[in-house]
Amino acid sequence: MTDALMNTYSRLPVTFEHGDGVWLWDTSGRRYLDLISGIGVCGLGHNHPRVTQAICEQAGSLVHTSNLYRIEKQEQLAVQIAQRAQMDRVFFCNSGAEANEAAIKIARKFGHEKGVDAPHIIVAEGGFHGRTLATLSATASRKVQAGFEPLVKGFVRVPYNDLGALERVARNNPYVVAVLLEPIQGEGGINIPGDDYLPGVRAICEENDWLMMLDEVQTGMGRTGQWFAWQQRGSSPDVMTLAKALANGVPMGACVARGRAASVFSPGSHGSTFGGNPLACSAALAVLETIDEMRLITRARELGARMSATLSDALQGVRGVLSVRGCGLMIGVELDRPCAGVVLTALEHGLLINVTAGRVIRLLPPLIMDESEAMAAVQDIGGLVRKFCA
Ligand SMILES: *Cc1c(COP(=O)(O)O)cnc(C)c1O
């Protein structure tokens, strides 16, 4: 391993050479089933022919022009996303953190415009929003923040899935202008709030004239069995951020807004050199079309429910397993002990999984996985977890 890389990751001892669908092959030709999809990025799996074709064709004609000029594919993509979200406008960038930076800037400008000179944004315990200075300040993890102080000011933290806590802030803090939450917490451990949470947040935001901003970077693009996780409860946000699966691995983020939030920015307020370039937009357009044509939203919902149920059965009565929870193809198994070691054992068995929040095994499989692969995979994982807990 080279010393020329900054020491930011403790990597597993494997290098992948090529991929096809749900499978990856390492440099020695060994095959692995990918149940984490590059951390929720390759929703259509690896090397999806439609995405590959879109990237190749676009690369063969034009990769980048900058936002000094109109970009046809960017305009088409914005319309496609806005339609699916029933929202009004999109700003394109290159990552989840950047999408959240845009959302935070929208909230602050929205606040200033209504006369709040030190606007605050409510964020949640367990939340993850990225690694830039503003987004790590919004993130709940001390590990993410430690050593990078001073943090960006203007965030108020409340417990997740707790409407009472939001109401208390509403009574006591006149500087709040927005709430930024994940509809299901991903890095925080696949934390699924109660059915009344998002509708309750919506109502509190309306009563207090706050923007409801949802970080759908991990949950969006069909993973939870809806285009966007909030659609399950119909409590539409004012601002929503996307990234991970948006362009199936070509770096791309988006900040989507409706109503007043959609008109906060004007020329000069925000920008990105790369954001929404023809290459990324072509890939994302291919992703949206393929999800529709292959009915992958329904597949994520149905297959995910079966996987969670099968995994739950397989782990029934296993001491050490606290819960199996899932929403579509976002699945977590919470143990009563740290379990980072399971990842290596799974790797040795040819399965790529991940552990988050120390003791939650996380699966974010590709949406294109077929039934038999999925069922075999959860049986295998059930077996590994059983052994680990024994
Ligand atoms: C991954 C993630 C981010 C950060 O995305 P990057 O592309 O790594 O900047 C932000 N929010 C959520 C919910 C995420 O899962």
Side-chain angles (χ1 to χ4, degrees):
M1 220 172 42
T2 177
D3 212 29
L5 288 170
M6 283 202 195
N7 190 20
T8 52
Y9 301 100
S10 41
R11 298 173 197 266
L12 290 160
V14 63
T15 304
F16 297 111
E17 208 161 54
H18 73 107
D20 184 21
V22 297
W23 299 100
L24 280 171
W25 282 262
D26 73 9
T27 40
S28 65
R30 184 162 177 218
R31 191 175 84 150
Y32 299 79
L33 183 67
D34 187 1
L35 297 173
I36 191 70
S37 311
I39 322 184
V41 167
C42 302
L44 301 185
H46 301 282
N47 252 338
H48 192 282
R50 286 281 295 277
V51 181
T52 304
Q53 189 192 353
I55 292 171
C56 291
E57 275 177 11
Q58 191 60 50
S61 73
L62 188 64
V63 170
H64 177 85
T65 58
S66 89
N67 288 297
L68 295 174
Y69 313 103
R70 286 182 61 180
I71 300 172
E72 201 178 335
K73 293 261 164 66
Q74 189 184 113
E75 295 181 19
Q76 290 169 1
L77 180 60
V79 170
Q80 293 292 318
I81 292 172
Q83 274 174 356
R84 284 165 178 78
Q86 293 179 288
M87 295 174 77
D88 299 321
R89 286 179 165 169
V90 188
F91 172 83
F92 289 107
C93 50
N94 314 287
S95 69
E98 274 182 77
N100 286 328
E101 288 275 347
I104 292 163
K105 284 179 69 173
I106 287 176
R108 285 188 166 194
K109 197 149 185 296
F110 166 81
H112 284 289
E113 280 169 9
K114 64 174 186 164
V116 180
D117 56 1
H120 282 51
I121 299 170
I122 298 179
V123 290
E125 286 171 11
F128 181 85
H129 301 292
R131 301 279 195 159
T132 60
L133 278 173
T135 58
L136 76 80
S137 302
T139 291
S141 159
R142 270 310 293 160
K143 220 170 69 186
V144 168
Q145 296 174 342
F148 302 111
E149 300 83 358
L151 300 180
V152 172
K153 288 190 215 158
F155 295 104
V156 182
R157 198 167 305 283
V158 298
Y160 189 60
N161 194 22
D162 182 344
L163 292 171
L166 283 176
E167 277 159 359
R168 278 191 294 283
V169 176
R171 281 195 299 273
N172 298 321
N173 187 333
Y175 298 107
V176 171
V177 296
V179 178
L180 173 63
L181 299 166
E182 292 157 271
I184 295 170
Q185 290 183 333
E187 305 302 306
I190 316 291
N191 301 321
I192 305 173
D195 287 353
D196 60 344
Y197 186 56
L198 291 182
V201 173
R202 176 76 255 163
I204 294 170
C205 285
E206 258 156 48
E207 275 161 33
N208 294 283
D209 195 31
W210 296 345
L211 297 181
M212 176 174 174
M213 310 202 295
L214 293 180
D215 179 343
E216 291 257 7
V217 168
Q218 193 162 147
T219 50
M221 302 303 293
R223 174 152 303 281
T224 68
Q226 303 284 342
W227 270 104
F228 312 109
W230 60 261
Q231 289 172 326
Q232 215 129 351
R233 308 275 169 259
S235 25
S236 66
D238 301 288
V239 177
M240 155 178 95
T241 54
L242 300 172
K244 292 198 163 87
L246 181 52
N248 211 56
V250 178
M252 182 173 232
C255 179
V256 190
R258 72 176 171 91
R260 284 182 300 164
S263 303
V264 164
F265 285 157
S266 51
S269 313
H270 197 45
S272 166
T273 300
F274 291 128
N277 83 11
L279 188 75
C281 290
S282 295
L285 281 166
V287 168
L288 291 172
E289 282 166 17
T290 307
I291 289 176
D292 277 338
E293 280 172 25
M294 291 181 69
R295 301 174 178 279
L296 293 179
I297 306 276
T298 313
R299 166 126 45 134
R301 184 161 58 235
E302 294 175 356
L303 193 58
R306 257 171 272 148
M307 284 177 80
S308 292
T310 306
L311 197 52
S312 217
D313 285 348
L315 294 173
Q316 197 68 48
V318 177
R319 278 182 54 197
V321 175
L322 298 184
S323 87
V324 178
R325 44 190 188 248
C327 184
L329 289 172
M330 191 168 183
I331 300 170
V333 180
E334 184 178 357
L335 304 189
D336 65 356
R337 64 198 81 172
C339 60
V342 178
V343 174
L344 197 57
T345 317
L347 183 73
E348 284 157 5
H349 280 78
L351 291 171
L352 305 181
I353 62 168
N354 168 255
V355 165
T356 191
R359 49 189 185 79
V360 180
I361 296 166
R362 173 172 55 166
L363 308 182
L364 301 170
L367 279 51
I368 49 138
M369 198 165 39
D370 73 31
E371 171 102 31
S372 59
E373 286 164 341
M375 291 309 133
V378 283
Q379 292 294 357
D380 287 350
I381 287 172
L384 291 176
V385 174
R386 218 170 240 283
K387 256 194 222 148
F388 179 82
C389 289

